[in-house]
Each structure stands twice: as structure tokens, then as C-alpha cells.
Amino acid sequence: MSNCAKRTNGDIGQRICTAAEIKFYFNSFFSKGSKKSNYLHPNKNCNLSSWVSGCEPGWACSAGKGVKVDMKNSKDMPTRVVDCQSCCEGFFCPHGLTCMIPCPLGAYCPLSVLNKTTGVCDPYHYQLPAGKPNHTCGGADLWADIVRCFKLATCVPKSANQNITAYGLLIFAGLGFLLIIIYNCSDQVLSTREKRQAKTREQAVQSVRETQAREKWKSAKETAKKHAIDFQTQFSRTFSRVKSKREDTNPSAKGKKKEKGNLTKMMQEIEANPEEHDGFHVEIGDKNIKKHAPKGKQLHTQSQMFRYAYGQIEREKAMQEQNKNLTFSGVISMASDVEIRKRPTIEVAFKDLTLTLKGKNKHLLRCVTGKLSPGRVSAVMGPSGAGKTTFLSALTGKAPGCRVTGMVLVNGKAEPIQAYKKIIGFVPQDDIVHGNLTVEENLWFSASCRLSADLPKPDKILVVERVIESLGLQPVRDSLVGTVEKRGISGGQRKRVNVGLEMVMEPSLLILDEPTSGLDSSSSQLLLRALRREALEGVNICMVVHQPSYTLFRMFDDLILLAKGGLTAYHGPVKKVEEYFADIGITVPDRVNPPDYFIDILEGILKPASGVHYKQLPVRWMLHNAYPVPMDMLQSTEGLGGPAGEGSSHDGMPSEAGSETQSFAGEFWQDMKSNVEFKKDNMQHNFLSMVDLSGRTTPGILRQYKYFLGRVGKQRLREARTQAVDYLILLLAGICLGTLAKVSDETFGAVGYTYTVIAVSLLCKIAALRSFSLDKLHYWRERGSGMSSLAYFLSKDTIDHFNTLIKPIVYLSMFYFFNNPRSSIYDNYIVLVCLVYCVTGIAYILAIAFEAGPAQLWSVLLPVVLTLVATRNDGGLAGKLSDICYTKWALEAFVISNAKRYRGVWLITRCGSLLENGYDLNHWNRCLILLGLTGLASRVVAFIVLVTCQRR
């Protein structure tokens, strides 16, 4: 100011713009057309008729000495046309005004210097006017030139930029090294824990075996001692009788020698054949071990729990060895000794069960009548397309898209079977098992969520260990099941794990869809022996089997033979199936497997010698049991006679020969007709489907959330390499976008932030799709078994919060240092966290609602399209839609956080840029709140879609 006063001879006050001139300048600056041409409108001092040197850029004039200038006058511009000079330092003189405007706070605008090479006044961009040889470069002229001036005066030195780039490279190297460590050592965290647990388990097994060995030896000694005492007593009596006759001999020495020899011989005999001695195992199983073993609730350490579980299992083995031919009563007696929990029994009866496709008159299952009894293993067989899997789906109420008619009774009551889902196990045909979990982890999770909530943890461990032992999974218990990309256990072992997931929940009704498919004969027998053991405890088991061997076939109790069209050809005991078919003229040849022969006949491949047509077999079964025959099937009854028609008549009355088989199902329904109503109100049925009638209280949402959280955490640790690849891609994206999209002071880095919104949205959405798109089949199975959908969803979302917090750090570690925006790294981090939270919720909806391919396509298209919409501010439809786009909120928050750092000389530029894009400096918090609410709302929508979606 002092230099300017000396230079103008004290009339600086005559040169400074009044309120009217400043108002005129800014109105012209924001008016249409002036902004693009950088020219002001003609005014009092500068117009076509009057154009003095002070009208040129960087120059100003005085109002004249003695002229009073009212600085506050905002209406009239004073006349300034005398003593024109270059603009003073610290002021800028616009092109078309003859006054000086002080530079805003923080700005220092030096005088310009003529660049003789370009002819431009540096550091500004105006040129000297033509025809005025005495005219020189002045001061600053335009606001944009002041921006450049301020930028030159306050920019970061080159050495500082080099330091920032060096720091960025160091951070990149550090993060890359950390990702390499995670990539190569991700499995070590869980494998170390598994090894420690396996060591504890082995020590517990060894301890149990040593204890049993000591008990066996102790029992053997007590038994030997008892026999020795009895022998000694008998010998003493004999000795007292002959003592008087042989007083001159020494019988005591001989007796002791003989007694010692007998005792040694007896000990050897007991050690060689301990099972032949009555009471030997009973003492070990009941009195000695059980007397000192602590209860399950009293155990706390892992070693104690395993010792308790293996002690129980060894006692069960001892009891099974003692009673090799176990019956149901034998199991009940064993349960009182070995503490086997009593399960509620479920009997399922069905009459005229028919399944029809909605909108089509096509029957998938038709007129199936019978019952499934507890404690029996029923096999469902038939040719391909006979509706075996459909029968199981109709029985359990899992037939979407179909109309089910008929009646299904549970324990003699017309109640929906879904009300008992907590004690019903359903093994699907596909092996739906988590491949990135071990065998034990899969079984343990199913047991934790589906067993009774009040069951102590040691007893849950006992259930899991018992299933692992019975299914022969002990060698692979710590092995990963495996996925398509990563090989794990064999197919047969995977099939047994699939069955074990339902066995560990101790079901009362166990339904299996082709559990022996793909298994060899020994594995099938091992599986069926485990199922028969479950049946001996009162479990009702029904399974679909494809052409079993004769040995396997004889292990079933009942047989349901379905013909094409979903019709019943036989339903009764396995022992009577050959007798029934022999009565209608179908005899199994020698050395032919009966189930293979029957299926070939139902398929139409073989024709029996009696001439019975395979289409007549379902009608014969209906007539045999006095079931009503549909009208369209009556034509199949023509020609039934002779051997083929024995035992049946055209009027549907049963014969005496079929009375025994008829009593299996026919008499049951005759007794039930008087007690059951055949028509129920649909609303009441739907209401009862929501009621739990199982009598089992499973863990609540919070406990299941804990179990789900542990499972998802283990899965993510084993997927750490995939996570490391995601982070590496984010690092590279940060480097590329930070280098290419340099910060523009006129747009406050809007271009770089636009790229950031697109890249982060796209990468984080694609990564978040894996949370739900890969586990749909597992979720549908777990939801059908009664597990909490809310706990499942919250656990996934909770684990994903780790990525929500870490991925912004990974991206900013590169982008911030290579792009070098003015905004703080904290503000950028907060905006990125809200953005990642928002797009993750949107990705949940896409992953749940669509298949994997369409979901990925939408994840790529949405960020690009919405960002293009967000950058439109033309007032049309696109401009209105941009106000509800999350990309608009994120971009606005980024630009605002950057624009806040532009103060002083940048005020007008900042205001103009924000107004041009439709942003408001006070909307930063609002944008973050909108992003957060969008993420929360999308999660609510995703959960609703998750609960309401059905398996396709």
C-alpha cells in the first residue's frame, strides 16, 4: 500500500473501485456470455466512444485531484479517465474497468513482465494492445489470472512433491509386502489352532484308552481273585474231609501249588477271552467308569470335554460288542447305561398325495398312500422320472411352484410337517457343504445351531464325535471339504459329511435324497449301518436309493416302489415284496437282484412271462389295497384276470390273499377316518405352518449370530488370498487414477474424484457380491432347517465392515500421495467409508436378487451410468435424477472437502464452481448422512429379498 501511494503521488484513493464498480464487475462476471469471452459490458469510462489506457488489462486511471469519490455509492460509477498508470502490486485491474480492486485475503499479485518470446505479460496471459507503443505490462487483470498468481506464489515446492511421491512409494512397498505375507501365510492362523486342538483330542483319546485298560486289568484281577477264593473254599472243604485219612502226608503244599497253577491259568484265560466272562463289560461300563466320570455340565476345559465324549463312545462300543444283535429294546436298555437321550418320535402318514404343476394339468406325483413309521428305514425306489425326489419334496412341503393335494398326518394329526422342521433332517441330493471349512467345523456348526439350546457343550461334542465315528470320517476330520478350485476330501467322504450335517442335530425324522449315489459298496454299507443305528433309537428314516445291491437292499425295513407318473407300485415290508409280485405273476429269476429286476419291469425294459403290462402295476396295487382308482385309469383294469388278476376284482374290493399287506396301510386309514377331517381351511393351515410343534428350543438369534460370525470369520481367513488380490487391485487403481487425474484448481479435483467414485464403486461392489452369491444353496438349506436368516445376514455384514474400514485406507494410501489434493486425508477417508458402505449394501441386493452373471453386469453398469447422471446439472430429467444418485452425493462430498481448503483469493472461484455443479459448501454432512442412509436402506431391502426369495 505504501509503495502504491508513493507511485501514484498520494491519489490511491481516487483509483480504488467504488461499490458501484465492484457490483458492475461481478454482475458482468457471472452474466451470460461475459464469462466465456473474458470481456465486461461497456460502461461509463470504457465504451466504443471512450477507451483510455486505463481500460486495458492491468491498468487503472484516477478520478482527478480534488474530486471526491464516494466509496459506498453502489449506484453511480465515478469518471476515471486521467493519469492512467499500471495497476499497483496487491491489486488487480480488470479489462474494461479503470479502477483497482484489492486482491482478496491471502493473495499477492506482483507486476507482470513482458515475455519477448511469446509476447505475453507473465505470469498473466494478456498481451499489449496494438497501436500503443508506450503501453507497458501492468499488474493483474482477471480473477483467473489472480488464481494463477496465487497458485504460483503458494504452490508446493518441487522438492516437497518429490518427497510426497517417495513417501507414497514407500507406503506402496510396505503394503505390498504385507499383502504378500497375508497371501502366503493366511492358513497358518487356523492350522495352528487346529493342530493344537487335534493334539488335545489325541491326548484325551489316549487317556480314555489307558483308563479303560487299567479298569479292564483291575476287573480281571478282581474276577480272578473271586474265582480263586471260590476255588480255595471248595478246596478247603475237600481237604478237611481227607485230612483225617492222610495225617502222615502234607497236602497243604500240594494244594497251594495247585491253587497257584489254577489261578495263573484262569488269569491267562480271562486276558485271552474277556468277553466270555459275565459281568466283565458291565463293571467297566457302569460301575467303575461311570461312577467316577463327571457330568457334562461339570466339564470346562477342552481336554475334559474330549475325555468325556470319548469315554462315552468307548462305553457304547463295549455295549455293542456285548449285544451284537441289537434290537430296539436292546438299545433302550443300553440307553439307560450309556445315557442316550430320548428323542420324540414322528410317524408320517399320507393319503392320496398328489403333486401337480401350477398352470398345467401334469401330475408329478399321484395318489400315493402309505405311512412312514419310527424306528424303521424306508427305501424309495423306481425308474427315472418316477417322482422319487418329488415324493420327498411333497412330503416335507418343499415343492414350490406346484399344487399339493391329499392329506399328510403327523403322529395321527392333520398338522403341517413344517411345524416340526427343528427335529426333521433333510439331506438333499446335491452335496451342499461349505468347501472352505473342515469336516469337523461343518458338523460342529450344524450341531451348535440346531441342537437344543440347553444342551451342555460336552454333550454337543459327544454328538459330533459319535457321528464322525459312525460315518468313518475320523481320518479326514481336520481336512477341508474342498471346492471346485481347491481340492479337498473325496466324493464319498463329502457325501457322508452331507448326511452327517443332519445326523448331528439328532432328528426324529430323517429324509435323504439319494445318499448312496456315487458311493462304492463298502461306503454305502457303512452309511446304512450308521442310519440303522439311528433307526434303532426311534428315528424315522426315509431315503431314495438307486439300484442298491442285494446286501444293501436287505438292510431296509420298508420299500416304496414308484412307477412312472408318480404312482405307487408297492409299499410295504421288504421281506414281502417278492411274495407280492409273485402273486401277480412276476417272479424274480435266480441270481438276479430283486430291486434291479423290479425297476427294469417298471421301466418297460423287461416283460414278465405272465404278460402283465407295467402300466397295470399301479392299478393292481390300488385294487389290492382297496384304494379308489381315478377315472382315467380305469381302462387299465380291463383284461385283469387269471394269475394277473388274482386277489383283486373290478369293483375295487380286496381279496383275502391281500389282507396281510392291506393291513399295512389300508386298516390304518379306516381307523383314522373317524378322527380326522379331510378338509382344512387354508388360512388355518398357513398359520399352523408358522407354529413350532417340535418341542425343541434351539439357540436364539444372538447365539446363532455368534456361531455364524465365527464361521464366516474362518471362511474369510481362508479366503485371505482373494482379499489380498482385491487390495492389490485397489492399490494399483489408486496409483493410476492419482497419477492421471491431476488436481485442477478451477474444478477442485472433480475429475479425479469422479474416477475415484467409479473405480471404488465398481471394485467394492464386485468384491461384495461374493458375500451372498456363492452361498445361496447353503442358505436355503439352513433356512429350511430353522436357522435364523437375520443372524446369517448380520454375520456376513459384520465381517464385511472390515473391508468397509480397510479398503478406503488401501486406496487413499496411493491416490492421496500421487494426486496430492488440498483436502485432508481424514475427510477423504470419511467420504470413502460412507461410499463403500453404501455400494456394499447395493451389492447385497444384486447378489441376492440375481444370478452371478447378471449381478456382475449390473455392478459394472450402475456406477458408470449413475456417475454420468450425477455430473448432469442442466435442470432436465437427468438433473433431477442426479439429486437421488449416491454418486452425486459422494462426488459432492469429495469436491466440498477439497473446496474448503481454497480460501482467500479462491472465494469467488470456489463459489462459481460449486454453483455451476449444483453443490453447496454446507452440504458435506448431509451428503455423508445420505450415503449412510442409502447403505442402511439397501441392507434392509436386501434382507427382505433374502427372506422372501425362493429356490429356483
Side-chain angles (χ1 to χ4, degrees):
M1 291 292 292
S2 61
N3 291 337
C4 186
K6 293 179 182 179
R7 182 179 168 190
T8 58
N9 297 322
D11 67 341
I12 185 173
Q14 307 294 322
R15 298 175 181 271
I16 297 178
C17 294
T18 63
E21 290 171 310
I22 293 179
K23 182 178 180 181
F24 170 78
Y25 169 73
F26 285 113
N27 287 337
S28 300
F29 183 79
F30 288 108
S31 64
K32 187 176 181 180
S34 295
K35 185 177 179 181
K36 294 182 180 180
S37 62
N38 294 330
Y39 283 96
L40 301 182
H41 294 298
N43 54 76
K44 182 177 180 179
N45 298 316
C46 300
N47 49 62
L48 294 177
S49 59
S50 175
W51 190 269
V52 295
S53 298
C55 296
E56 298 296 335
W59 278 60
C61 299
S62 173
K65 293 184 178 180
V67 179
K68 185 177 181 181
V69 179
D70 186 6
M71 302 295 294
K72 296 182 179 180
N73 187 356
S74 61
K75 294 181 180 182
D76 300 324
M77 295 177 58
T79 302
R80 302 177 191 270
V81 292
V82 298
D83 194 14
C84 296
Q85 298 181 14
S86 61
C87 192
C88 295
E89 295 175 319
F91 294 85
F92 74 98
C93 300
H95 187 198
L97 279 181
T98 58
C99 60
M100 300 188 304
I101 301 177
C103 289
L105 181 65
Y108 174 71
C109 304
L111 295 175
S112 62
V113 178
L114 178 64
N115 189 333
K116 295 182 180 180
T117 302
T118 60
V120 175
C121 295
D122 288 337
Y124 314 110
H125 294 290
Y126 64 85
Q127 295 178 340
L128 296 178
K132 295 182 179 181
N134 297 326
H135 195 87
T136 59
C137 292
D141 62 335
L142 289 178
W143 189 265
D145 290 329
I146 298 174
V147 169
R148 297 187 184 95
C149 173
F150 179 72
K151 182 177 180 181
L152 291 173
T154 60
C155 63
V156 180
K158 185 176 180 180
S159 58
N161 282 328
Q162 292 177 347
N163 291 334
I164 290 176
T165 304
Y167 291 148
L169 292 175
L170 289 175
I171 293 176
F172 174 74
L175 289 175
F177 181 71
L178 180 61
L179 292 177
I180 291 174
I181 294 177
I182 295 175
Y183 186 85
N184 292 293
C185 305
S186 58
D187 292 336
Q188 297 299 323
V189 177
L190 293 176
S191 61
T192 303
R193 181 176 179 271
E194 291 170 0
K195 290 179 181 179
R196 185 167 59 250
Q197 188 173 359
K199 185 177 180 180
T200 303
R201 185 172 58 249
E202 292 173 359
Q203 291 176 351
V205 174
Q206 185 178 0
S207 175
V208 169
R209 290 175 179 173
E210 291 177 354
T211 302
Q212 288 191 345
R214 286 194 299 267
E215 293 295 337
K216 286 182 179 180
W217 175 248
K218 183 177 179 181
S219 178
K221 288 200 303 183
E222 291 178 356
T223 304
K225 184 177 180 180
K226 180 180 179 181
H227 283 277
I229 293 174
D230 293 341
F231 178 78
Q232 184 178 5
T233 303
Q234 184 178 2
F235 182 78
S236 301
R237 293 175 181 174
T238 304
F239 177 75
S240 61
R241 293 176 183 175
V242 299
K243 183 177 179 180
S244 57
K245 297 181 180 180
R246 299 181 181 181
E247 293 180 352
D248 56 343
T249 61
N250 189 10
S252 58
K254 295 181 180 181
K256 290 181 179 180
K257 185 176 181 180
K258 185 176 181 180
E259 177 183 350
K260 183 177 180 180
N262 290 336
L263 180 60
T264 304
K265 184 178 180 180
M266 191 177 303
M267 290 289 293
Q268 294 175 352
E269 180 182 354
I270 291 174
E271 291 180 0
N273 301 304
E275 64 276 0
E276 296 180 359
H277 295 270
D278 297 334
F280 179 75
H281 286 288
V282 176
E283 290 182 5
I284 296 176
D286 284 344
K287 296 180 182 179
N288 297 331
I289 297 180
K290 187 176 177 181
K291 180 178 179 181
H292 303 288
K295 298 293 183 181
K297 295 182 180 180
Q298 300 173 357
L299 305 176
H300 302 287
T301 65
Q302 197 79 7
S303 178
Q304 290 177 339
M305 294 179 187
F306 279 121
R307 194 177 295 114
Y308 164 76
Y310 282 104
Q312 291 286 96
I313 293 175
E314 292 297 329
R315 286 198 292 274
E316 291 176 11
K317 288 182 180 179
M319 295 297 294
Q320 289 178 4
E321 286 293 329
Q322 185 178 356
N323 303 282
K324 291 184 178 180
N325 298 322
L326 283 177
T327 60
F328 185 76
S329 58
V331 173
I332 297 300
S333 63
M334 188 179 74
S336 60
D337 297 331
V338 190
E339 297 181 357
I340 298 178
R341 286 175 299 281
K342 184 179 179 181
R343 308 184 193 179
T345 58
I346 291 181
E347 182 185 67
V348 182
F350 40 93
K351 181 177 178 63
D352 293 332
L353 189 61
T354 303
L355 195 71
T356 310
L357 284 176
K358 291 182 179 179
K360 298 180 181 180
N361 192 19
K362 182 179 179 181
H363 298 290
L364 302 179
L365 197 71
R366 194 173 187 188
C367 301
V368 179
T369 301
K371 69 174 179 178
L372 303 176
S373 303
R376 300 181 69 85
V377 181
S378 302
V380 181
M381 300 183 191
S384 298
K388 302 180 292 296
T389 302
T390 306
F391 167 70
L392 298 183
S393 301
L395 200 65
T396 55
K398 297 180 179 181
C402 300
R403 182 169 58 90
V404 181
T405 58
M407 176 175 289
V408 178
L409 303 182
V410 181
N411 292 333
K413 300 178 182 179
E415 297 171 340
I417 199 169
Q418 294 91 340
Y420 295 86
K421 62 183 178 181
K422 290 185 178 180
I423 55 175
I424 295 178
F426 183 85
V427 180
Q429 184 175 352
D430 300 325
D431 299 332
I432 305 175
V433 186
H434 290 280
N436 47 12
L437 295 178
T438 64
V439 172
E440 182 180 3
E441 288 169 352
N442 274 287
L443 298 178
W444 174 248
F445 175 79
S446 181
S448 300
C449 292
R450 301 176 66 182
L451 286 173
S452 180
D454 57 356
L455 189 66
K457 185 178 179 180
D459 290 330
K460 291 182 180 179
I461 294 178
L462 171 61
V463 172
V464 174
E465 296 297 329
R466 186 185 291 146
V467 171
I468 292 176
E469 190 75 23
S470 63
L471 292 177
L473 297 173
Q474 196 68 251
V476 295
R477 62 180 302 154
D478 294 324
S479 302
L480 291 177
V481 174
T483 58
V484 178
E485 296 84 6
K486 189 175 183 180
R487 179 170 175 81
I489 60 179
S490 66
Q493 293 167 339
R494 186 185 182 96
K495 180 74 69 174
R496 280 178 274 164
V497 174
N498 189 33
V499 177
L501 290 178
E502 305 300 324
M503 291 178 60
V504 293
M505 51 87 64
E506 295 191 335
S508 298
L509 173 62
L510 183 57
I511 298 176
L512 306 96
D513 190 3
E514 300 185 19
T516 59
S517 298
L519 299 183
D520 54 26
S521 179
S522 60
S523 299
S524 299
Q525 290 186 25
L526 177 65
L527 176 61
L528 200 54
R529 277 196 295 268
L531 294 176
R532 285 202 63 82
R533 184 188 181 281
E534 295 289 310
L536 290 174
E537 296 181 12
V539 181
N540 190 347
I541 299 178
C542 179
M543 57 190 296
V544 174
V545 184
H546 267 302
Q547 294 182 326
S549 63
Y550 184 73
T551 304
L552 207 65
F553 177 69
R554 301 298 296 178
M555 296 177 70
F556 294 106
D557 298 314
D558 299 325
L559 172 65
I560 301 176
L561 197 58
L562 296 178
K564 286 188 175 182
L567 296 165
T568 307
Y570 178 80
H571 180 20
V574 171
K575 297 179 181 179
K576 296 184 180 297
V577 60
E578 296 184 48
E579 178 183 347
Y580 166 74
F581 280 101
D583 290 341
I584 61 176
I586 301 176
T587 305
V588 181
D590 295 337
R591 298 185 179 180
V592 175
N593 191 14
D596 294 344
Y597 185 73
F598 296 145
I599 291 174
D600 289 342
I601 290 179
L602 292 173
E603 188 73 40
I605 299 176
L606 298 178
K607 294 183 179 179
S610 60
V612 179
H613 198 270
Y614 72 94
K615 292 184 178 180
Q616 296 178 352
L617 294 179
V619 180
R620 288 180 178 274
W621 176 253
M622 294 179 184
L623 297 176
H624 180 76
N625 291 277
Y627 297 153
V629 182
M631 295 298 296
D632 59 333
M633 296 178 63
L634 288 177
Q635 59 181 357
S636 300
T637 62
E638 297 179 0
L640 297 181
E646 280 186 23
S648 62
S649 59
H650 294 286
D651 58 358
M653 296 301 294
S655 65
E656 295 180 0
S659 60
E660 184 175 0
T661 309
Q662 176 189 354
S663 62
F664 179 78
E667 292 182 0
F668 173 79
W669 288 105
Q670 295 294 333
D671 298 335
M672 296 303 301
K673 282 183 179 179
S674 59
N675 300 326
V676 179
E677 297 180 359
F678 283 88
K679 292 183 179 180
K680 289 180 61 66
D681 184 69
N682 289 332
M683 185 178 298
Q684 180 183 4
H685 185 274
N686 293 334
F687 173 75
L688 289 175
S689 299
M690 302 172 60
V691 179
D692 181 24
L693 302 176
S694 62
R696 175 180 292 184
T697 303
T698 54
I701 294 178
L702 291 179
R703 288 184 63 182
Q704 288 194 35
Y705 169 73
K706 173 186 174 182
Y707 299 142
F708 274 108
L709 199 64
R711 185 184 75 177
V712 178
K714 291 178 181 177
Q715 290 175 322
R716 293 298 168 85
L717 279 177
R718 293 195 173 102
E719 295 172 356
R721 296 185 176 183
T722 305
Q723 299 289 335
V725 172
D726 291 342
Y727 294 156
L728 181 60
I729 294 174
L730 278 173
L731 283 174
L732 296 177
I735 294 175
C736 295
L737 297 181
T739 304
L740 298 177
K742 290 298 182 180
V743 177
S744 173
D745 291 322
E746 287 78 10
T747 60
F748 305 108
V751 177
Y753 287 132
T754 302
Y755 295 156
T756 295
V757 171
I758 295 176
V760 173
S761 298
L762 192 149
L763 295 176
C764 292
K765 274 186 182 178
I766 293 178
L769 292 178
R770 294 194 296 264
S771 296
F772 289 95
S773 60
L774 301 179
D775 290 343
K776 287 185 179 179
L777 293 178
H778 303 86
Y779 165 72
W780 283 326
R781 177 178 183 177
E782 292 167 354
R783 185 184 69 176
S785 63
M787 293 189 191
S788 172
S789 298
L790 181 60
Y792 169 81
F793 183 85
L794 290 178
S795 64
K796 293 272 189 179
D797 189 36
T798 302
I799 296 298
D800 280 342
H801 286 339
F802 175 80
N803 288 330
T804 303
L805 298 176
I806 298 300
K807 284 187 176 181
I809 297 177
V810 175
Y811 179 80
L812 284 176
S813 64
M814 295 296 102
F815 177 82
Y816 191 83
F817 287 101
F818 282 91
N819 189 260
N820 190 26
R822 290 185 181 272
S823 56
S824 66
I825 193 171
Y826 173 77
D827 290 342
N828 284 270
Y829 175 74
I830 295 298
V831 177
L832 271 182
V833 167
C834 295
L835 176 61
V836 174
Y837 180 78
C838 176
V839 299
T840 302
I842 297 175
Y844 289 167
I845 300 177
L846 298 177
I848 296 170
F850 299 99
E851 295 294 336
Q856 292 177 358
L857 181 61
W858 279 106
S859 298
V860 174
L861 288 179
L862 273 180
V864 178
V865 174
L866 293 181
T867 304
L868 292 176
V869 173
T871 55
R872 297 291 297 273
N873 191 30
D874 52 4
L877 179 61
K880 294 179 180 179
L881 290 177
S882 66
D883 293 335
I884 58 174
C885 293
Y886 77 89
T887 52
K888 168 73 176 294
W889 305 327
L891 189 57
E892 183 176 359
F894 276 126
V895 173
I896 291 174
S897 62
N898 205 27
K900 284 181 179 179
R901 294 304 183 96
Y902 287 80
R903 294 182 290 270
V905 70
W906 297 97
L907 291 178
I908 297 179
T909 302
R910 182 177 74 182
C911 182
S913 179
L914 294 178
L915 288 176
E916 180 184 4
N917 293 285
Y919 301 155
D920 192 330
L921 199 65
N922 299 319
H923 285 177
W924 192 73
N925 292 328
R926 191 190 74 169
C927 292
L928 298 183
I929 293 174
L930 289 175
L931 286 173
L933 291 178
T934 303
L936 181 61
S938 59
R939 281 164 170 79
V940 174
V941 174
F943 176 71
I944 295 174
V945 175
L946 180 70
V947 174
T948 56
C949 70
Q950 297 291 335
R951 182 172 182 176
R952 297 175 179 85

